[in-house]
């Protein structure tokens, strides 16, 4: 079956089937990890036939990508809500917390989904995070600086990549509260440095 003819989850029943497949995948990742994750196991946990599963997803990787993309979308929506609901208080810390605690699951599950996201749509997904983060930060008066694309790239990618690295090194036993503080200090210091350089250039 080609991707063009693969069924799209437009009807409520079809959407419910897709949700069941994604939820089953998440549960299996949480309980058993990636090693024994197969489409047969996913279909069995979801309560659908393997044929039904393949009507919606071409393989395991496609399921992982769909699940990881949903996680990414949820985080982006969380960041957007933070800015829209409380623009006067939203800032770097709120965004860092959304990135740290928005994704569901254990650190291992989050890392697996992060890897799947990067394998299947890495540059596009990073751009989506990039613009969401940039829009949030740029909307704050205290962070109002004439930034270039390079500075914006550093701001958005630093947090995502460092958190991804932290999830991949659980043996370090990093304290999440301390990690949050350090990421906030890092990004706020960079923003202050950008502002200082702009002021020196104007003098």
């Amino acid at each position: 079956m080609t991707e063009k003819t693969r069924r799209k989850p437009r009807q409520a029943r079809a959407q419910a089937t897709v949700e069941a497949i994604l939820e089953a995948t998440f549960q299996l990742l949480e309980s058993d990890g990636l090693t024994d994750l197969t489409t047969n196991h996913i279909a069995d946990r979801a309560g659908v036939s393997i044929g039904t599963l393949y009507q919606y997803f071409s393989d395991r990787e496609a399921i992982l990508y769909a699940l990881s993309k949903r996680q990414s979308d949820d985080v982006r929506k969380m960041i957007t809500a933070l800015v829209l609901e409380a623009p006067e208080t939203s800032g770097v810390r709120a965004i860092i917390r959304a990135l740290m605690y928005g994704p569901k699951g254990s650190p291992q599950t989050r890392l697996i989904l992060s890897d799947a996201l990067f394998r299947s749509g890495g540059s596009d997904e990073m751009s989506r995070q990039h613009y969401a983060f940039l829009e949030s930060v740029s909307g704050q008066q205290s962070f109002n600086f004439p930034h270039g694309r390079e500075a914006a790239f550093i701001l958005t990618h630093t947090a995502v990549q460092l958190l991804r690295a932290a999830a991949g090194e659980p043996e370090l036993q990093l304290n999440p509260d301390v990690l949050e503080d350090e990421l906030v200090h890092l990004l706020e210091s960079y923003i202050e440095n950008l502002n200082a350089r702009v002021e020196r250039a104007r003098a």
Side-chain angles (χ1 to χ4, degrees), residues 3 7-8 23 32 67 78-79 101 114 138 147 164:
E3 291 300 327
R7 186 181 298 178
K8 302 297 183 182
E23 180 59 29
D32 304 321
L67 184 56
M78 186 181 299
I79 292 173
Y101 304 112
S114 176
S138 297
H147 49 72
R164 187 164 180 256

Side-chain angles (χ1 to χ4, degrees), residues 67-87:
L67 184 56
S68 63
K69 186 174 181 296
R70 185 171 69 175
Q71 290 263 46
S72 176
D73 288 343
D74 288 345
V75 171
R76 192 177 69 256
K77 291 175 184 176
M78 186 181 299
I79 292 173
T80 300
L82 284 170
V83 176
L84 292 178
E85 293 173 8

Side-chain angles (χ1 to χ4, degrees), residues 21 25 47 62 76 82 102 104 108 111 115 121 125 136 138 140 147-149 179 188-189:
I21 292 170
T25 303
R76 192 177 69 256
L82 284 170
K104 299 176 182 178
Q108 183 62 26
L111 182 61
D115 287 343
E125 292 301 327
S136 300
S138 297
Q140 310 311 308
H147 49 72
R149 287 180 298 176
L179 180 61
E188 288 185 339
S189 295

Side-chain angles (χ1 to χ4, degrees), residues 18-58:
V18 169
E19 289 299 318
I21 292 170
L22 295 180
E23 180 59 29
T25 303
F26 179 80
Q27 291 175 6
L28 289 170
L29 286 174
E30 285 286 271
S31 61
D32 304 321
L34 189 62
T35 304
D36 295 326
L37 184 71
T38 67
T39 51
N40 281 311
H41 289 155
I42 294 170
D44 184 61
R45 175 64 69 91
V48 302
S49 69
I50 190 65
T52 296
L53 182 147
Y54 282 126
Q55 288 179 342
Y56 298 99
F57 299 102
S58 59

Side-chain angles (χ1 to χ4, degrees), residues 167-186:
E169 300 181 67
E171 67 277 6
L172 296 179
Q173 298 183 330
L174 299 176
N175 183 309
D177 293 333
V178 176
L179 180 61
E180 175 189 318
D181 286 341
E182 292 306 311
L183 285 171
V184 170
H185 293 326
L186 176 65

Side-chain angles (χ1 to χ4, degrees), residues 130 134 145-156 190 194 197:
H130 172 84
L134 179 60
F145 60 90
H147 49 72
R149 287 180 298 176
E150 292 78 12
F153 174 89
I154 290 171
L155 274 171
T156 58
Y190 182 66
L194 285 172
R197 280 188 277 161

